[in-house]
Structure formats: C-alpha cells, structure tokens
Amino acid sequence: MDAELPKASVSRPATGWQDAVALTGFILVAAGQASNQVLARGLAGSVPPFSLAFFRWSIIAIGLAPFAVAAIRDGKIPLAQNLWPILAAGFLGMFLCGGPVYIAGITTTAIHIALIFALSPIMVLLISAALGIDHIGPLQWLGTALALAGALLIVSGGHLATLTQSSAAWGDLLVVFAMLGWSGYTLVQSRVAPQASLLARVSLFAAAGALFSLPPALREIWIEPVQVFNARAAEAYVFAGLVPGLLAYAGFAWLGGKFGSVRTSLVLYVAPIASAILSWIILGEPPTMLHLVGGVLILGGVWASLRK
C-alpha cells in the first residue's frame, strides 16, 4: 500500500505525455493522409494520374516489403489461400483510390475529396447490413441520413440541378466511386491474413495496386513520356510514396499498436480538417460555409452511425 502514492504521482505525467503523443500522432497521420488529396488538386492533371499511382504504390510496396517477406516466411500470410483476396483488396483500395482520385483533382477540390471519403464508414455499415454482417439501429439510420445529406450538399454545391449537368460534378462523382472502392477494401482487407501486421498486408495490397495501375500507366508513358519522366513528376512520385504513403501507413499502424483501434479511428474526424487547413495554406482554397455545413453533417452522421 505504501507504493501507491509514488506510483500515482508518476502516472499522471505519463498519462499526460501519452495524450500529447497521441494528439500529435493523430494530427501528423491525418495531415499525411490529407496531403494526397492536396497533391491531387495541386497537380491538377499535370502529372499523368495512373503513372503517379503506379510509382506511389510501388514505393509503398517496396518500402514495406521487409514486413511482408517476414510475415510470409513465418507463415502468417499463406499466399496460396490469400492471393485472390489480396488482388481484390489491391484493386478496390489502391487502384480505384489511386488514378481516379488524381483525375478528380482536375475539377474538384481537396476539401471535397476529403469530405466524400469521410463517408466510407457509412458505406461499410450499409454494405455490412446488406450482407447480414451487422445490424443498423435507429441512431445509425439517423447518422446515415445526415451523412448522406451532407454529401449531397457538397457534391451538388447546394443546387440539386448541378447533379444533372454532366460536366459540373463529374470530379466529385469520380471520388464517390473511389470512396465506394475504399469501403469495399475496408471490408476485404480485414479478412486477409488477420494474424499478420497491417504493414505486411499493406505491402502486398500496394503491390497489387501497382500491378493494376501498370497497364494504364504504360499507355501514359507511350502517349506522353515527357510528362511522365521529368523532375516535377519525379518529385510527385517520391512525395506520394513517402508522405501519404509510407509515413502515413506506418504512423497509423503505430497509433493502432500504441493506443488501440478505437482511439486511432479518431483520425477519421481529423483528416477532413487537416485537408481543409492544408488546402487553404498550400492551394489558397479556403473552406466555405457550404463545406462547413456539409462537413458537420457528414462527420456528425458518421459519429452517430458508429454508435451502438
């Protein structure tokens, strides 16, 4: 009993230190994730999209390869049984969320991309309910309705007629398509060798994403080699592979191991805020009242939908 007093006096600063580390980690990981959306908008088609996606996923796959090799060697990732799920995860989460997002950046903003991607948990919930994996309660239905209303507000720009104009919102609709792919990836990836580490599995998913991105990337190389191979493009490849790639994934894995999956999921709510701030600072595209209202609806709806 005598040891309780000094133990208590030591635990308080330790807890405060952990909270500070967690907060810093959340901000850095969210900023890393958001930087890919800012990159998509900042490049605005100046770098061929599928070449950018191919080199990004290749860098991630190679950088995380030691984790994958170790997991395969230890039998934690049986390739024969997981080949098709790995390919499916790579197609949904890396291919569909690679080149198409960079194409969308030509006509839509980084804030739009971030807010639309914030809908992913809603889609995961709806898909899970449709497959009988999960049950949706009244509060979750309310959250789903709020989030979808916010997304409709963002995509339509406050004018429903915009949705009927083929050239007005195609970038946002392309992001919606990519977000649906990411939702499918979320369901698939958790069932691929769950005993292996996140980084080991991401390496294989990224390799699959690079494989799927290679054919359209080769077409871009054939048609516009100068745009694919230049200093600006090379800088974009390295940045995309490192910051929203290796560093973001490694940071997310570290947060999950340090603070648990529940607290780490808070990154979901920080990422759109980070995207808005970075867009304002780097691209000179400040958030509008429409973004604020739509963002509150989406994030509030996601929060409600995740309550049990």
Side-chain angles (χ1 to χ4, degrees):
M1 294 296 292
D2 293 338
E4 290 181 1
L5 182 58
K7 185 182 297 184
S9 64
V10 172
S11 65
R12 286 194 185 99
T15 301
W17 172 253
Q18 283 191 345
D19 290 341
V21 171
L23 179 60
T24 303
F26 292 146
I27 293 173
L28 291 177
V29 171
Q33 293 176 344
S35 67
N36 190 56
Q37 299 144 11
V38 175
L39 181 70
R41 180 60 172 170
L43 293 176
S46 62
V47 175
F50 288 101
S51 296
L52 177 55
F54 169 76
F55 284 110
R56 179 195 180 198
W57 295 124
S58 296
I59 291 172
I60 294 172
I62 294 171
L64 299 178
F67 296 96
V69 171
I72 294 171
R73 185 181 59 241
D74 295 341
K76 294 181 178 180
I77 304 181
L79 286 179
Q81 296 95 315
N82 289 281
L83 179 59
W84 289 111
I86 288 172
L87 291 175
F91 178 81
L92 293 170
M94 279 59 182
F95 176 71
L96 293 184
C97 299
V101 174
Y102 296 134
I103 295 173
I106 299 173
T107 58
T108 193
T109 66
I111 301 175
H112 277 212
I113 297 174
L115 289 175
I116 292 172
F117 262 92
L119 282 173
S120 180
I122 295 286
M123 295 300 110
V124 171
L125 178 64
L126 292 176
I127 295 172
S128 297
L131 296 177
I133 301 174
D134 205 346
H135 170 73
I136 300 181
L139 182 60
Q140 293 171 311
W141 276 120
L142 175 61
T144 299
L146 289 175
L148 293 179
L152 186 63
L153 179 65
I154 293 293
V155 174
S156 68
H159 304 283
L160 293 180
T162 301
L163 299 177
T164 64
Q165 300 172 7
S166 59
S167 61
W170 72 269
D172 285 336
L173 295 178
L174 195 57
V175 178
V176 170
F177 184 68
M179 180 272 296
L180 292 174
W182 185 260
S183 302
Y185 163 81
T186 301
L187 290 171
V188 172
Q189 66 87 20
S190 62
R191 290 164 174 76
V192 177
Q195 66 274 23
S197 70
L198 172 64
L199 298 183
R201 292 183 290 119
V202 167
S203 176
L204 297 178
F205 301 153
L211 180 64
F212 284 117
S213 300
L214 181 57
L218 289 175
R219 181 179 181 275
E220 292 171 347
I221 293 172
W222 178 261
I223 295 175
E224 43 191 4
V226 176
Q227 283 191 276
V228 175
F229 299 110
N230 59 68
R232 176 181 172 83
E235 291 173 356
Y237 303 151
V238 173
F239 180 88
L242 293 181
V243 180
L246 290 175
L247 295 178
Y249 279 111
F252 191 86
W254 181 84
L255 287 175
K258 188 75 172 177
F259 303 103
S261 59
V262 175
R263 292 183 69 185
T264 302
S265 66
L266 293 175
V267 171
L268 169 70
Y269 301 99
V270 183
I273 300 173
S275 180
I277 294 173
L278 291 177
S279 296
W280 194 349
I281 295 174
I282 298 174
L283 303 176
E285 295 182 343
T288 65
M289 182 57 65
L290 183 73
H291 296 133
L292 179 60
V293 175
V296 169
L297 287 173
I298 291 174
L299 296 180
V302 169
W303 179 86
S305 70
L306 296 179
R307 302 305 96 191
K308 293 296 185 180

